[in-house]
Amino acid sequence: MNIELDPSSTPDRDELDLDVSVAKSLFVGRITEENLFPYPRIGADEAETLAMVSNSLDNFLQDNQEEFPRWDRESAQPEAFLKSLRELGLFGLIIPEDYGGIGLSNAGYTRVVEQLSSYDSSAALTVTAHSSIGMKGLLLFGTDEQKARYLPKLASGEMIAAFCLTESGSGSDAASVKTKAEKNQDGSWTLNGEKIWITNGGIADFYTVFARTGNDAGELSAFFVERSWRGVNTGAKEDKMGIRASSTTSVSFSDVTVPAENLLGRQGQGFKIAMSILNNGRTGLGGGSVGGMKACIALATAQALERKQFGQSIAEFGLIKTKIAQMAIDCFAAESVVWMVAHYIDSGCNDYSMEAAISKVFASEAMQRVANEALQIAGGNGYMKEFPYEQIVRDSRILTIFEGTSEILRLYIALSGMKEAGRLMEELAESVEDVFNNPIKGLGVLSEYAGRRIAQITPFRRDKMVSCVPATLRNEALIYDKYASELGRVADVLLRRHGKEIVSKQLAMKRLADIVIDLFVGLSVLARASSFTDDGETRYQQAINVAKLFTQQAKRRMNQNFRRIMRNEDDDLKQLAQFIFSERAYPWDVL
Ligand SMILES: Cc1cc2nc3c(=O)[nH]c(=O)nc-3n(C[C@H](O)[C@H](O)[C@H](O)COP(=O)(O)OP(=O)(O)OC[C@H]3O[C@@H](n4cnc5c(N)ncnc54)[C@H](O)[C@@H]3O)c2cc1C
């Protein structure tokens, strides 16, 4: 699949406020237009490099297209394929040129991953497990000496990287790892433990390993460990549902001596490092999802146009048409939000973790919806191994599980937002006292709060949002404006009602997360559609149409979520679950 590039585009994000998180601001009812408009574009220089990478990648992937299903069946990527990935420079995509890499930005990298995964998810995963997570810690936190030692080998693919966090007892609860590193008198460390389900485990030579280094639970540190060291072993290849050609194994450490200079960052910084790597790497999975969706849309449209039933092409039927339209909306929305987040990372934004989580949740779930619909449009053919659909469905199933499950990320999204809302409320409470002790500070916070409240109920802010979009998208801008205000109000109410207990209200948190996902994805769609030039062509008009359709759908979902935060049957559902747990099975029968 050839992905078109737009080399004429130029960066235009001078006014980005690096300290602002758009998504967190939504929780206090504020839309920070300066970080959304104009929609980012890739720089001309990078577009040129990207076009070259893209062309050679297309030729290479087309040559291997027939082989991918076989490698899926055989559950292996041949060494010759890995060698080609090395020769194409695919292990050095984000490594700076000084160290022998291609030096792409996060956005450029995301685009390459998109292209890779439009051909084969396992191929994309081999590259992303290396770049997005395996050696990302070295790029983000490594010392100059560590970079000089490892980056050239990682760029050439002489060393492939893997990220080792998960253990049998420690999945979503990443802080509970048991692998232990004990400090020796000479400053080196002795590492013991076992990691499971490590992508690239069997082919990697460079592992970023997280281990406990203190007696306190959660005191983690990160280390670089080489496969060739004594005591490092990998298990058998896992027999998986999907992404079967990609290597997934356990990696164990038995009295492995890790030199002092292989500690990454400072002792005790491991958890923060792990989370930073995952946040920074999320656009890899997002880009992969977008590439998968584009491939599905191409397959499904061809299938729908060619297949005839009831004397006509099934593409004529309304039920099939709306599936195709929905797939396009999902893909456009995912692409818009993933690209936006990639640019936040490239611009040096200090706080993008919530936006990154939103892009991962939305893009991965959109990919699963699109894959299912593509299979459905193909009917019985979709179920047959002779066709690509069943593999795509199997491959995409992992997306909502690894690198943070959808459940955990939704909780994270809502909690981060509520923390922001709570911070402002705490400042407000303090400022009431400060009005007497420190009038300048106290009144300052009070007036910020008052300003926000006034902004929520006056049309003043609306002018700002509306001025960012073309006239045809004015109503959509007003919808996001209104629902952001409502989110700010509801977050306020929930915090007052539940205080810190809000953490345990998972269903309310999920609904808040879904609202902010719709808002941030919708605003990204709006910004992107607003950046297109009105040339009177259908492609432009349909992009505007997509923005309108997404907004209407998001509005319906948000209305339902707001309603159900206040009125729901959650307690009854939980009671039912409790009963089923006690029975340990479905307890009814018609006999
Ligand atoms: C193919 C594959 C490749 C992988 N690659 C890597 C890798 O390269 N490196 C690595 O370190 N790890 C890797 N993993 C591990 C992966 O990141 C974990 O599987 C994932 O984090 C989830 O952990 P878990 O499987 O233990 O599920 P659990 O944490 O046991 O979760 C089970 C279910 O409970 C839900 N849940 C958990 N806690 C809560 C909560 N507080 N509230 C509500 N719901 C909750 C989860 O969302 C999930 O639905 C890989 C896994 C797979 C399957």
Side-chain angles (χ1 to χ4, degrees):
M1 167 182 280
N2 202 348
I3 296 174
E4 282 175 33
L5 293 168
D6 175 10
S8 63
S9 51
T10 50
D12 192 8
R13 300 303 306 253
D14 299 352
E15 290 165 35
L16 204 72
D17 185 336
L18 300 181
D19 291 321
V20 157
S21 156
V22 175
K24 282 184 186 165
S25 301
L26 290 169
F27 267 81
V28 292
R30 196 186 297 144
I31 294 180
T32 41
E33 292 87 355
E34 63 275 22
N35 282 28
L36 288 159
F37 299 91
Y39 190 75
R41 286 175 164 244
I42 202 136
D45 283 355
E46 188 169 25
E48 217 172 283
T49 312
L50 215 43
M52 280 179 339
V53 175
S54 170
N55 286 340
S56 47
L57 200 54
D58 255 333
N59 294 334
F60 164 68
L61 292 168
Q62 271 157 15
D63 288 346
N64 284 284
Q65 202 152 18
E66 310 266 288
E67 304 295 333
F68 293 128
R70 186 161 63 82
W71 298 343
D72 170 71
R73 281 194 301 279
E74 291 170 1
S75 189
Q77 272 163 350
E79 178 50 39
F81 178 70
L82 294 176
K83 186 165 170 266
S84 303
L85 294 181
R86 288 187 188 102
E87 284 164 4
L88 279 163
L90 291 174
F91 291 107
L93 290 172
I94 53 167
I95 295 178
E97 287 175 87
D98 288 352
Y99 295 103
I102 298 180
L104 289 180
S105 66
N106 202 295
Y109 166 71
T110 303
R111 187 58 175 271
V112 174
V113 175
E114 176 188 320
Q115 194 172 352
L116 264 169
S117 84
S118 70
Y119 286 88
D120 184 60
S121 303
S122 287
L125 192 58
T126 301
V127 170
T128 54
H130 170 87
S131 292
S132 295
I133 54 176
M135 54 90 184
K136 182 59 78 67
L138 175 59
L139 276 183
L140 293 178
F141 298 98
T143 61
D144 289 347
E145 184 279 321
Q146 287 171 334
K147 288 181 182 170
R149 192 149 41 102
Y150 286 121
L151 280 180
K153 289 180 187 165
L154 289 161
S156 67
E158 182 187 334
M159 280 186 140
I160 293 176
F163 175 86
C164 301
L165 179 62
T166 304
E167 300 177 3
S168 61
S170 168
S172 299
D173 182 8
S176 67
V177 303
K178 294 270 189 302
T179 293
K180 204 162 172 39
E182 282 175 294
K183 200 165 190 172
N184 303 316
Q185 281 194 335
D186 64 358
S188 68
W189 301 80
T190 300
L191 183 68
N192 279 291
E194 187 182 33
K195 302 290 178 177
I196 61 165
W197 302 334
I198 303 306
T199 307
N200 286 352
I203 58 170
D205 317 274
F206 175 94
Y207 301 104
T208 303
V209 183
F210 297 87
R212 281 179 64 176
T213 45
N215 292 327
D216 294 346
E219 204 227 92
L220 303 187
S221 300
F223 300 91
F224 298 129
V225 176
E226 295 184 31
R227 183 201 189 87
S228 59
W229 292 351
R230 196 143 58 88
V232 179
N233 287 296
T234 59
K237 214 168 174 200
E238 298 290 348
D239 189 7
K240 305 188 295 284
M241 170 186 179
I243 46 162
R244 290 177 55 80
S246 133
S247 160
T248 312
T249 69
S250 61
V251 183
S252 63
F253 310 98
S254 173
D255 284 331
V256 176
T257 304
V258 182
E261 59 271 23
N262 274 37
L263 173 72
L264 173 61
R266 287 194 310 277
Q267 180 178 343
Q269 251 192 334
F271 189 73
K272 184 176 159 246
I273 290 176
M275 295 306 121
S276 302
I277 293 172
L278 290 169
N279 284 330
N280 193 280
R282 292 215 199 282
T283 57
L285 273 192
S289 302
V290 171
M293 281 186 263
K294 288 186 177 179
C296 284
I297 293 169
L299 284 166
T301 47
Q303 170 73 19
L305 288 165
E306 280 156 26
R307 177 68 174 167
K308 287 202 167 45
Q309 286 293 279
F310 302 98
Q312 63 191 104
S313 147
I314 63 166
E316 297 294 319
F317 298 125
L319 288 176
I320 300 294
K321 278 188 179 156
T322 47
K323 283 186 198 300
I324 296 284
Q326 193 57 49
M327 289 159 82
I329 295 169
D330 263 333
C331 187
F332 189 96
E335 188 173 44
S336 303
V337 71
V338 168
W339 199 244
M340 183 73 98
V341 172
H343 279 270
Y344 289 156
I345 298 173
D346 289 333
S347 309
C349 281
N350 296 315
D351 190 0
Y352 55 80
S353 64
M354 196 168 149
E355 289 80 358
I358 290 175
S359 71
K360 196 268 186 177
V361 171
F362 185 85
S364 58
E365 293 182 357
M367 173 63 207
Q368 290 178 354
R369 287 193 291 273
V370 166
N372 267 320
E373 289 295 50
L375 188 149
Q376 190 70 18
I377 290 170
N381 281 347
Y383 205 69
M384 299 298 152
K385 283 198 178 278
E386 188 188 339
F387 294 90
Y389 305 96
E390 64 85 31
Q391 189 190 335
I392 297 175
V393 169
R394 281 190 287 109
D395 284 351
S396 63
R397 190 59 191 84
I398 188 62
L399 292 168
T400 52
I401 297 174
F402 64 8
E403 294 189 28
T405 66
S406 280
E407 289 80 10
I408 293 295
L409 289 179
R410 276 195 169 81
L411 293 176
Y412 174 77
I413 290 163
L415 265 179
S416 310
M418 291 304 265
K419 206 165 137 199
E420 179 71 7
R423 189 184 59 78
L424 201 68
M425 264 177 72
E426 250 169 48
E427 279 182 18
L428 181 71
E430 275 171 25
S431 68
V432 174
E433 289 186 16
D434 277 347
V435 169
F436 301 102
N437 305 330
N438 182 351
I440 295 174
K441 184 180 160 218
L443 286 169
V445 178
L446 275 178
S447 63
E448 189 197 332
Y449 183 77
R452 175 163 73 82
R453 273 276 167 253
I454 290 164
Q456 283 173 5
I457 51 171
T458 62
F460 165 70
R461 296 171 58 243
R462 298 183 167 194
D463 294 345
K464 201 170 168 199
M465 258 303 275
V466 164
S467 69
C468 295
V469 301
T472 175
L473 290 173
R474 187 174 180 277
N475 283 341
E476 283 65 31
L478 292 175
I479 287 172
Y480 290 113
D481 197 70
K482 179 176 160 206
Y483 282 82
S485 288
E486 184 60 6
L487 176 61
R489 191 188 68 77
V490 170
D492 229 57
V493 169
L494 286 177
L495 267 180
R496 282 172 208 277
R497 187 180 296 169
H498 301 295
K500 285 190 179 127
E501 289 303 304
I502 189 68
V503 177
S504 62
K505 308 281 173 205
Q506 287 203 336
L507 290 147
M509 301 285 269
K510 180 197 178 284
R511 291 179 186 120
L512 284 173
D514 282 336
I515 291 166
V516 81
I517 289 170
D518 268 329
L519 280 172
F520 181 61
V521 175
L523 285 163
S524 301
V525 167
L526 195 67
R528 180 154 175 234
S530 302
S531 74
F532 291 165
T533 310
D534 183 358
D535 52 6
E537 296 289 328
T538 318
R539 194 182 275 216
Y540 167 78
Q541 283 152 0
Q542 287 303 328
I544 298 291
N545 194 20
V546 167
K548 286 178 181 289
L549 287 163
F550 184 90
T551 307
Q552 284 310 318
Q553 295 178 346
K555 184 179 156 189
R556 267 198 295 277
R557 288 189 294 262
M558 288 190 285
N559 274 335
Q560 197 193 21
N561 277 315
F562 277 127
R563 257 199 319 273
R564 296 192 64 210
I565 284 175
M566 300 303 168
R567 289 181 55 185
N568 54 60
E569 56 286 347
D570 295 350
D571 287 340
D572 293 340
L573 282 168
K574 284 192 266 185
Q575 264 184 33
L576 171 60
Q578 215 46 56
F579 167 64
I580 304 290
F581 283 136
S582 67
E583 296 285 316
R584 291 188 158 260
Y586 177 78
W588 297 286
D589 199 331
V590 288
L591 282 180

